[in-house]
């Protein structure tokens, strides 16, 4: 009906000046008229110009006062003409909120005397100007700007923008919309009707229907690329399906003392159920206990009473080095049956730490770890492997800084020069596993292990331009960004 009315009106008239007035005169819904105008404009039947009008409408509170009167007027009328009324009685009569607003406005207007416990009138008659103004606005009448400011400050009115159109005939105007055929059918060919049918033009610039499909998370993309780099370098992936570890494999086997701050509950998530592990290799546990308490292999140890109860505690692993410790122990057990075989291991998986969450830290994140186990390895071998590994990530400029780790000696922090930031950025940690960690496992004395680690989130944030880690991982991730994130390649 709206389309027929618009096209029919324009057949006899030059233009429609206001879509709102047109809808009212013809008994049409204005929203429906607007939708038809947009459609006709798109097909060039009409030319439309925007119309915007600013107006004021009543809030819910304003509507209430327009019906019942302003709070100050209600308060005034609730006070007896002679003698006044106690404050408590007046508050009960009006209600706490209406009483509070009414007192403030009535006192400001000098309508009442609020002194003492008795509220009395100061005048005998008042005009409820607020109610009158609200009724005028409700009826669409013009109100003075000073009055508008007062009502707006009291949050009794809010601005509203009305959108409409003025329109006239377009270049392809017709009193009735032509219906174009979208497809050439078999029936048209058989009957010959296709000769007299007007077909809809093809829009070769139109986009097709969006393909509904899964999308890879940026972390998964970068993880896959890193995995391929490790595999190209001849590394073997370690099984990392143990999110729950014992304190023994997570700390003790790495020669990390039981009084170390990282083992406190404010840094590590300990499990309540099951709280302890029941399966540990007893002979190996005894050797680890001895090296902690009294040393060995050229070390003094930590000289404290090692606790089995502490080692048995279950926790969410704080690093994937716990997996590395298990793999090296299994490798050592294999050397008892056959000659030692050098190994290259890597892992990329989730770890958990009880940290305060901010724009660069989460309580769970992903750790990348690589290690090489072979005879006679040195710090120079580690530096060479790091240059090879990071160059494949596109980081050719590296620096190393001495550091401390309980289970590596020497230890180094890894820095890379970031061309975009124009500064050196820490990208990882590295070192050589200590004899106190390796020899109790049963590895040959001349076997050395070089290792390094970094987070998966940091390079991903740099590559994809994320400033807040919570936008990349966690419940606040925007799924729309996951669908539209670009292709980023490491090392390019």
């Amino acid at each position: 009906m709206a389309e027929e009315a618009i096209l029919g009106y324009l057949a006899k008239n030059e233009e429609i000046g206001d879509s709102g007035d047109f809808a009212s005169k013809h008994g049409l819904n204005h929203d429906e008229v607007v939708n038809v105008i947009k459609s006709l404009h798109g097909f060039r039947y009409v030319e439309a110009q925007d119309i915007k009008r600013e107006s004021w409408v009543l809030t819910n509170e304003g509507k209430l006062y327009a019906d019942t009167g302003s709070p100050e007027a209600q308060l005034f009328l609730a006070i007896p003409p002679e003698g006044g009324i106690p404050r408590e009685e007046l508050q009960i009569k009006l209600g706490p909120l209406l009483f509070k607003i009414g007192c403030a406005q009535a006192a400001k207007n000098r309508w009442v005397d609020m002194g003492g416990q008795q509220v009395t009138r100061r005048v005998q008659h008042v005009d409820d100007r607020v109610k009158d103004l609200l009724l005028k606005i409700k009826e669409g009448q013009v109100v003075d700007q000073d009055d508008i400011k007062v009502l707006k400050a009291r949050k009794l009115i809010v601005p509203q923008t009305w959108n409409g159109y003025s329109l006239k005939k377009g270049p392809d105007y017709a009193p009735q919309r032509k219906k174009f055929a979208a497809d050439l059918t078999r029936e048209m060919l058989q009957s010959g009707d296709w000769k007299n049918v007007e077909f809809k033009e093809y829009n070769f610039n139109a986009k097709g229907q969006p393909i509904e499909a899964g999308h890879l998370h940026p972390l998964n993309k970068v993880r896959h690329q890193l995995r391929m780099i490790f595999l190209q370098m001849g590394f073997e992936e370690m099984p990392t399906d143990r999110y729950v570890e014992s304190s023994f494999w997570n700390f003790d086997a790495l020669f990390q003392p039981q009084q170390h701050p990282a083992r406190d509950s404010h840094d590590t998530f300990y499990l309540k159920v099951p709280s302890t592990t029941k399966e540990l290799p007893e002979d190996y546990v005894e050797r680890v206990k001895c090296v902690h308490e009294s040393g060995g292999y050229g070390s003094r140890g930590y000289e404290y009473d090692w606790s089995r109860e502490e080692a048995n505690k279950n926790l969410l692993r704080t690093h994937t080095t716990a997996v590395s410790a298990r793999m090296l122990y299994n490798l050592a057990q294999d050397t008892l049956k056959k000659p030692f075989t050098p190994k290259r291991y890597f892992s990329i998986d989730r770890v958990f730490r009880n940290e305060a969450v901010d724009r660069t830290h989460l309580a769970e994140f992903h750790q990348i770890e690589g290690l090489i186990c072979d005879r006679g390895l040195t710090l120079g071998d580690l530096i060479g492997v790091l240059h090879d590994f990071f160059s494949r990530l596109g980081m050719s400029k590296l620096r190393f800084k001495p550091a401390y780790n309980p289970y590596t000696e020497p230890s180094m922090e890894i820095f890379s020069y970031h061309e975009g930031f124009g500064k050196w950025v820490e990208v990882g940690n590295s070192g050589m596993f200590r004899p106190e960690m390796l020899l109790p496992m049963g590895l040959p004395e001349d076997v050395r292990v070089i290792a390094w680690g970094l987070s998966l989130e940091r390079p991903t944030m740099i590559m994809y331009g994320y400033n807040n880690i919570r936008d990349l991982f966690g419940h606040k991730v925007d799924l729309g960004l996951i669908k539209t994130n670009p292709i980023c390649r490491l090392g390019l």
Side-chain angles (χ1 to χ4, degrees):
M1 291 179 61
E3 182 173 307
E4 293 176 4
I6 293 171
L7 293 176
Y9 186 88
L10 289 176
K12 302 176 182 179
N13 301 274
E14 289 296 323
E15 65 175 3
I16 295 175
D18 188 308
S19 60
D21 294 340
F22 180 84
S24 299
K25 290 177 181 178
H26 291 79
L28 300 170
N29 181 281
H30 185 250
D31 291 336
E32 182 184 351
V33 170
V34 167
N35 290 334
V36 170
I37 290 172
K38 290 178 179 178
S39 174
L40 293 173
H41 179 69
F43 286 96
R44 302 179 17 142
Y45 281 85
V46 300
E47 291 182 355
Q49 295 291 330
D50 291 338
I51 298 175
K52 290 187 177 182
R53 284 201 292 266
E54 297 288 339
S55 62
W56 295 94
V57 295
L58 306 187
T59 63
N60 290 334
E61 187 178 2
K63 292 176 183 177
L64 177 64
Y65 298 160
D67 293 335
T68 61
S70 67
E72 53 267 36
Q74 292 186 56
L75 181 135
F76 180 84
L77 295 175
I79 301 172
E82 303 293 338
I85 185 173
R87 291 176 66 97
E88 294 77 7
E89 184 179 337
L90 183 59
Q91 183 173 357
I92 294 171
K93 190 174 183 180
L94 296 176
L97 181 60
L98 194 65
F99 174 78
K100 180 180 178 181
I101 299 173
C103 284
Q105 295 298 326
K108 182 179 178 181
N109 296 338
R110 299 180 179 273
W111 290 355
V112 298
D113 187 353
M114 304 296 295
Q117 297 297 317
Q118 209 63 7
V119 182
T120 58
R121 293 185 178 184
R122 297 183 67 176
V123 295
Q124 293 304 313
H125 176 74
V126 296
D127 293 322
D128 193 352
R129 180 171 168 73
V130 170
K131 179 179 179 179
D132 295 339
L133 291 171
L134 292 173
L135 289 173
K136 284 185 177 181
I137 292 174
K138 185 177 181 180
E139 295 168 359
Q141 299 180 27
V142 178
V143 176
D144 186 76
Q145 286 299 314
D146 291 336
D147 293 328
I148 290 290
K149 290 180 181 179
V150 172
L151 296 176
K152 182 182 176 183
R154 292 182 64 173
K155 299 181 179 179
L156 301 180
I157 58 173
V158 290
Q160 183 182 68
T161 301
W162 180 89
N163 294 307
Y165 293 95
S166 66
L167 55 152
K168 58 183 181 180
K169 295 176 182 178
D172 296 336
Y173 170 78
Q176 189 174 3
R177 189 196 290 256
K178 296 179 181 179
K179 294 184 178 180
F180 296 96
D183 296 304
L184 179 64
T185 65
R186 178 183 177 183
E187 290 74 15
M188 290 180 186
L189 292 172
Q190 289 176 337
S191 64
D193 290 344
W194 63 271
K195 298 176 183 179
N196 302 317
V197 172
E198 290 191 51
F199 290 92
K200 185 178 180 181
E201 292 183 3
Y202 282 100
N203 181 2
F204 293 101
N205 295 319
K207 294 182 178 180
Q209 289 289 335
I211 299 173
E212 293 296 331
H215 299 268
L216 291 175
H217 193 284
L219 282 174
N220 285 338
K221 292 182 182 180
V222 177
R223 177 176 180 166
H224 174 72
Q225 294 177 54
L226 284 161
R227 184 173 181 272
M228 296 309 298
I229 288 173
F230 274 115
L231 294 175
Q232 290 165 10
M233 294 177 66
F235 282 72
E236 175 186 343
E237 188 166 11
M238 295 184 283
T240 54
D241 52 351
R242 288 179 176 265
Y243 285 173
V244 175
E245 270 291 2
S246 65
S247 292
F248 176 80
W249 288 111
N250 198 81
F251 294 122
D252 296 275
L254 305 181
F255 195 57
Q256 190 160 325
Q258 293 184 339
Q259 66 270 27
H260 194 279
R263 301 180 71 151
D264 292 341
S265 59
H266 63 266
D267 286 323
T268 301
F269 292 109
Y270 286 93
L271 269 66
K272 289 185 177 180
V273 180
S275 59
T276 59
T277 184
K278 297 180 180 179
E279 297 181 0
L280 291 175
E282 294 301 329
D283 56 338
Y284 177 45
V285 170
E286 190 61 31
R287 292 194 296 272
V288 169
K289 174 184 177 182
C290 290
V291 78
H292 274 252
E293 289 185 339
S294 54
Y297 318 106
S299 170
R300 293 173 54 187
Y302 292 114
E303 299 180 346
Y304 71 99
D305 292 330
W306 186 84
S307 169
R308 177 63 182 267
E309 290 73 20
E310 183 69 26
N312 284 346
K313 291 181 179 178
N314 282 332
L315 49 80
L316 294 178
R317 68 180 179 210
T318 62
H319 47 197
T320 52
T321 315
V323 181
S324 303
R326 284 180 176 273
M327 295 298 292
L328 291 172
Y329 173 75
N330 292 336
L331 179 61
Q333 301 313 297
D334 289 342
T335 61
L336 300 177
K337 306 172 186 177
K338 57 184 179 180
F340 169 77
T341 303
K343 289 289 184 179
R344 296 185 176 202
Y345 292 129
F346 81 94
S347 64
I348 308 172
D349 212 337
R350 195 174 301 185
V351 296
F352 309 85
R353 294 181 187 174
N354 192 3
E355 294 184 344
V357 175
D358 57 30
R359 58 187 297 272
T360 58
H361 295 86
L362 290 176
E364 54 180 306
F365 58 95
H366 296 79
Q367 182 177 334
I368 305 162
E369 184 164 339
L371 65 89
I372 300 177
C373 179
D374 202 351
R375 298 183 188 273
L377 293 175
T378 66
L379 189 64
D381 295 308
L382 174 59
I383 293 174
V385 171
L386 291 177
H387 274 289
D388 184 14
F389 175 78
F390 282 98
S391 67
R392 296 170 186 254
L393 305 184
M395 305 179 192
S396 56
K397 298 179 182 179
L398 295 183
R399 281 182 178 175
F400 305 97
K401 176 184 175 182
Y404 168 76
N405 287 317
Y407 44 89
T408 58
E409 180 62 37
S411 306
M412 301 184 302
E413 292 176 349
I414 310 164
F415 292 82
S416 173
Y417 187 78
H418 192 288
E419 300 290 347
F421 296 160
K423 63 179 182 179
W424 292 90
V425 178
E426 184 181 353
V427 293
N429 215 322
S430 65
M432 300 184 67
F433 284 152
R434 297 175 66 112
E436 297 97 323
M437 171 185 167
L438 300 178
L439 295 179
M441 293 178 176
L443 287 170
E445 292 187 7
D446 59 342
V447 168
R448 304 287 183 267
V449 178
I450 56 177
W452 69 98
L454 61 153
S455 77
L456 178 62
E457 281 76 6
R458 176 169 292 185
T460 305
M461 289 175 68
I462 293 174
M463 289 175 63
Y464 285 88
Y466 285 94
N467 295 318
N468 192 325
I469 193 173
R470 290 169 288 194
D471 295 332
L472 179 67
F473 185 65
H475 67 284
K476 293 186 176 181
V477 170
D478 182 356
L479 295 180
L481 291 178
I482 301 302
K483 293 181 179 180
T484 59
N485 64 76
I487 297 174
C488 294
R489 299 291 296 176
L490 291 168
L492 297 181

